[in-house]
Every structure is written in structure tokens, then in C-alpha cells.
Amino acid sequence: MGASDLNFLVSTAMSAEKARITISNRLAALNDGQDEGSAPVPESFAEVFQHLQAAEDALDPLIAKALKNYPVWDSWLCHVKGIAPTLGGQCLAYLLPPRPGDDVGSWYKAAGLLPQWRPEQNLHRLPRARAGEGKVQHHRALRRSLWLVGQSFVRVGGYYRERYDTTKARLIEVHHGDEAWPPHRLDNVARWITVKLFCSHLFEEWCRV
């Protein structure tokens, strides 16, 4: 299996996951009486949900197998706490292998992790879709995957959780009392800084192998 195989497997798994979550939300609405659907619709939804879950379960070992073709997976990435084959596969499928002359900044740009100055807010913000500004230029699936990486780090602990905690504490100290820095922004910025640190380490290790 090559890079195109991993990309196909990861993209298929993410599509199945997205559809499964949609069905799950609809089923929850039906169970709570917030949806007016009636049988056999709920039964068919439950059946589709099971098929999608089975598809995800079948893809997981294939992604793990495909990762064996990436030396950086075995040498470093698989040992990072919080990075299971599913997340590792997303990282390696969507991040381009380092090229001569590139640095990790090329990954930051691709993922939309380079803050842009927003004069109307007097703040730096990460790029996102905004009315009247056309399509975003970054890889939205890559950014979503990296956000999940950050969530995993915060949830499972380890080295990158420690870096997140340290970063967040520093941001709280620097921006104490600043209304432009509410708790959710402090948390998000700390997560993205941690993710960028992880990306820099992955870039170095990928170059090394």
C-alpha cells in the first residue's frame, strides 16, 4: 500500500464516520420525540447505523496495515500518547511528506494554522469561512484531523497534555482580565499551539527517517 491507498482508506473512514454521526443524531432526535419520523424510518436508520459502524470497524485494521509503509509511524508516531492508528492515519494521509527546502510552516499553511490579522476585531484569528470572503484556502479535513489530535492530547494526558497545560496557564496570566480572551479562546489557542508543537516534532522525525 502507498500514500494513495492510505488517503483512500482514511477518506472513506471519515465519510463513514460523518454519515454515522448524522444517523446517530437523527436517532437521538427520534427517541427524544424531537423528530416526527415514524416506522419504518427509525428501523431503517438503525440498520444503516449498524452498517456504517461495521464499515468503520473493518477499515481500522486496514489503516493500521497501511501505516506500516510509513517508517515515521513505527519509529516515532505510534509511540506518541494519544495517537492511535486512526488519528495517525489521518495525519500521514493529509500531511505532505517533507520536501527539500520546506519547513513545518508549509504544514501550518496547509492546515490553516497561520493566524491572520482581523482589523474589524483588532485580533489575530485563524482563517475560516466568512461571508463575502470566498472559499477558504486551507485543507479543511486536515485541520479537523489536527483538532482531533489536540482533543486526544487533552483527554489522555502525557507530554503534550503537559505542554497544553503550561501554555494555557501562560495565556491566562498574560491575558488576565482581557475581555477579548474569554475562557474558550484561551483553551482553543492553547490547543492549537500544542498541535503546532506536535506538527513540528512530526516534521523533524519524518525528515530524520
Side-chain angles (χ1 to χ4, degrees):
M1 291 187 180
S4 60
D5 300 296
L6 180 61
N7 197 300
F8 170 76
L9 292 170
V10 167
S11 297
T12 303
M14 292 183 73
S15 295
E17 178 190 46
K18 182 178 180 179
R20 175 180 57 78
I21 292 173
T22 299
I23 295 294
S24 178
N25 291 339
R26 183 73 188 278
L27 286 172
L30 287 165
N31 292 332
D32 292 341
Q34 299 176 10
D35 193 300
E36 297 180 355
S38 58
V41 174
E43 294 179 3
S44 64
F45 277 15
E47 185 175 351
V48 171
F49 177 88
Q50 293 172 358
H51 284 304
L52 290 169
Q53 183 64 69
E56 288 184 74
D57 292 342
L59 285 164
D60 285 344
L62 296 178
I63 291 173
K65 182 179 179 181
L67 286 171
K68 296 297 182 182
N69 293 295
Y70 290 78
V72 72
W73 169 253
D74 281 329
S75 68
W76 185 75
L77 190 54
C78 73
H79 303 291
V80 176
K81 190 170 184 178
I83 303 295
T86 301
L87 275 181
Q90 292 177 26
C91 290
L92 297 183
Y94 294 140
L95 290 168
L96 292 177
R99 298 173 298 184
D102 280 352
D103 59 24
V104 71
S106 62
W107 284 2
Y108 297 161
K109 182 178 180 180
L113 298 184
L114 297 177
Q116 299 174 340
W117 178 251
R118 305 295 303 182
E120 73 280 5
Q121 298 175 316
N122 198 33
L123 289 170
H124 282 91
R125 295 286 193 184
L126 292 183
R128 63 177 177 83
R130 292 181 173 88
E133 295 188 7
K135 295 182 179 180
V136 296
Q137 300 300 311
H138 62 270
H139 193 313
R140 297 177 69 178
L142 170 59
R143 186 149 119 183
R144 177 182 179 274
S145 296
L146 292 177
W147 176 252
L148 294 177
V149 167
Q151 285 187 315
S152 183
F153 288 156
V154 172
R155 184 177 65 253
V156 306
Y159 171 78
Y160 289 105
R161 172 58 195 255
E162 293 175 1
R163 297 305 300 263
Y164 159 82
D165 288 337
T166 300
T167 300
K168 186 174 180 180
R170 177 177 57 81
L171 290 171
I172 291 174
E173 181 179 358
V174 170
H175 299 288
H176 177 70
D178 189 342
E179 294 182 356
W181 285 80
H184 71 272
R185 187 176 187 215
L186 292 165
D187 177 67
N188 288 347
V189 172
R191 289 180 189 234
W192 281 126
I193 290 174
T194 304
V195 167
K196 291 174 76 171
L197 176 66
F198 160 75
C199 286
S200 71
H201 292 165
L202 175 57
F203 191 92
E204 291 175 6
E205 292 295 329
W206 203 338
C207 288
R208 186 178 63 81
V209 299

